[in-house]
Amino acid sequence: MTGFGGDETLGCATSHLRTLLRHRPLTALLQLRGFAAKYGWPRGQMLRQLCDGTSYSRWLNGAADRLTPPPPPDTAPALDWGPTPRLAPWVTPDAADAVRELIRTEAAAARPLGPRGLHDDLVGIRDSARPVRQISRLAARIGLTLSAPYYDDRVLEAALAVRREEKRPPWGYKPLIQEAMRGVVPAQVLGR
């Protein structure tokens, strides 16, 4: 039994705050303030991202232009469609051009999996589940059964049904698992 998928299933992308801002502005502002303090988000960058209404296909198309610069600092707000893809510094210019062309070709027809925050969450779950499937196949070759319960359909459905602002508040750590394990796991472990 593994914990693969716990972060992706029990947490959520901070980009959900964009949607929350329209539906529950006070809650969104409190959480934005908390995340800005926690991660050192510059307020100007945070406001620019919040005001950016770029569609997913346009964002993806623009990502083609940002494949080779260094990634943004860890203090950059994370309120967009997801992390911008980056190529390794050793990739040749011809390879980078080929990837740019491929992204631009696909961007025109690309559709998000949901609103900004949900899209980012679902991409994270999908991308983290792929290697677990491969690990499971490798384990099966030597007679081991790998169980990754966070990827179980019912667990995913339950986790995705929880309001995102309750799944990842800036002042707490995995409140879903803490609540599920209350009375099972010692309190000092839950409060780590």
Side-chain angles (χ1 to χ4, degrees):
M1 183 172 287
T2 75
F4 292 134
D7 289 339
E8 295 79 14
T9 303
L10 299 175
C12 71
T14 52
S15 53
H16 80 278
L17 293 167
R18 296 172 57 94
T19 303
L20 187 62
L21 193 57
R22 287 194 308 273
H23 300 288
R24 298 183 57 211
L26 183 57
T27 301
L29 289 171
L30 288 171
Q31 289 205 359
L32 282 163
R33 186 175 176 196
F35 281 115
K38 182 176 185 176
Y39 296 122
W41 289 354
R43 301 214 183 229
Q45 288 180 17
M46 187 174 69
L47 288 172
R48 275 191 297 281
Q49 283 190 17
L50 287 170
C51 294
D52 181 6
T54 302
S55 69
Y56 177 64
S57 60
R58 282 189 63 205
W59 173 82
L60 195 55
N61 194 48
D65 297 326
R66 297 184 299 274
L67 290 173
T68 54
D74 290 339
T75 58
L79 300 168
D80 225 327
W81 283 103
T84 300
R86 301 282 187 212
L87 294 175
W90 48 261
V91 170
T92 66
D94 287 343
D97 288 342
V99 172
R100 276 188 198 93
E101 184 59 35
L102 180 62
I103 289 174
R104 287 186 180 118
T105 300
E106 295 299 318
R111 299 292 174 257
L113 300 175
R116 243 178 245 237
L118 179 59
H119 169 83
D120 203 0
D121 290 345
L122 293 174
V123 167
I125 290 168
R126 183 185 65 194
D127 290 351
S128 66
R130 282 186 184 127
V132 174
R133 185 179 309 122
Q134 297 303 320
I135 294 167
S136 178
R137 288 178 183 156
L138 289 171
R141 288 184 186 172
I142 59 170
L144 296 175
T145 300
L146 180 79
S147 178
Y150 290 114
Y151 291 122
D152 180 81
D153 287 347
R154 289 190 178 119
V155 172
L156 285 169
E157 288 170 5
L160 289 170
V162 176
R163 288 181 179 174
R164 280 157 184 72
E165 66 271 19
E166 294 173 9
K167 284 176 73 173
R168 186 180 176 197
W171 39 84
Y173 182 74
K174 293 187 184 174
L176 289 182
I177 196 73
Q178 286 185 7
E179 190 59 36
M181 295 286 103
R182 190 172 317 284
V184 176
V185 174
Q188 59 270 41
V189 173
L190 291 178
R192 70 177 175 105

